[in-house]
Amino acid sequence: MKFLTWNIQSGGGKRIPAICDYIESTHSDFVAITEFQTKNEQELKDRLRRSYPYITTSSPSEKQNGLLIASKNSFSVLDAPSDLDSERWLEVKVENLDLNILVVHIPGAPDNKFQDGYGISGEKRKQLFWDRIINHTEKYNGLNSIILGDFNTGLRLD
C-alpha cells in the first residue's frame, strides 16, 4: 500500500487543481491532507474522487485547518477525541487490510489558541497532543497501524 501525506497550507487555495493532479500522478492508495479547509472542500473532493472513491474529513469549522483522507480502499471512521484540537485527529480502519490509520496535525509551538481571553499556548497544545498520541499507540500495540500527517517536529520541544 502506498501512502501520501501533504500539508497543503491554508486550504490550498488556487493550487487545488495542481495539488490534485500531482496527488493523482503519485498513484498512492491512501492520501492524508493536512490544513484542509471547508472553503475548498467541494472542489477538492470533486477532483480527488476521480481516483479516490472514499473521502472523509475531520469537519473543521469555517476558516479552521483540518484533515482530509482520500482512499482507494473503503474504510470506517473511528471515534475522535472531543477535547481540544479534535479537528487535528482523524482515525480510520481499512477493514480489508485489517489496518488502523491515524492522521494527525500536531500544533506547532507558536500555535496559541485563545478566545475571549482564555486559551492555551501552542507549546502546551503540542505537548498534550503528543501525550494523546503516545497513549493511543499503547492501544494498538501488536496490531497493524500507522500514524501519518504533519508532526510539526524540528523544535527542541519534541
Side-chain angles (χ1 to χ4, degrees):
M1 186 165 189
K2 186 174 180 181
F3 297 92
L4 172 70
T5 183
W6 190 348
N7 181 327
I8 61 170
Q9 299 181 335
S10 301
K14 294 178 182 177
R15 297 173 292 114
I16 293 290
I19 288 169
C20 292
D21 288 345
Y22 179 76
I23 289 171
E24 191 171 11
S25 78
T26 68
H27 303 287
S28 298
D29 299 298
F30 187 94
V31 178
I33 294 176
T34 59
E35 292 199 19
F36 154 77
Q37 292 184 359
T38 58
K39 66 184 175 186
N40 300 323
E41 183 170 5
Q42 198 57 53
E43 180 182 10
L44 193 54
K45 284 180 173 179
D46 288 346
R47 288 181 169 273
L48 288 174
R49 276 200 182 98
R50 296 184 302 197
S51 298
Y52 301 95
Y54 305 100
I55 299 174
T56 194
T57 74
S58 63
S59 302
S61 61
E62 189 177 346
K63 297 182 181 180
Q64 185 178 45
N65 289 330
L67 306 169
L68 181 142
I69 289 174
S71 176
K72 293 180 179 177
N73 294 287
S74 65
F75 56 78
S76 54
V77 177
L78 304 178
D79 289 336
S82 59
D83 58 347
L84 184 68
D85 294 318
S86 60
E87 73 282 354
R88 292 172 173 258
W89 181 286
L90 186 54
E91 184 179 9
V92 299
K93 180 166 182 100
V94 181
E95 297 291 345
N96 67 327
L97 299 174
D98 190 30
L99 176 65
N100 287 52
I101 303 171
L102 173 61
V103 178
V104 298
H105 184 191
I106 298 172
D111 293 338
N112 302 322
K113 195 171 194 176
F114 293 97
Q115 184 176 353
D116 300 326
Y118 298 96
I120 187 169
S121 72
E123 185 176 327
K124 184 65 174 177
R125 287 174 66 208
K126 185 173 188 159
Q127 177 188 349
L128 292 171
F129 208 100
W130 272 112
D131 289 345
R132 184 186 304 149
I133 289 173
I134 291 167
N135 290 333
H136 175 80
T137 61
E138 293 172 0
K139 181 169 82 172
Y140 291 100
N141 188 21
L143 302 176
N144 296 327
S145 60
I146 186 168
I147 302 172
L148 304 171
D150 185 341
F151 295 95
N152 273 313
T153 58
L155 300 175
R156 69 183 190 285
L157 301 171
D158 293 346

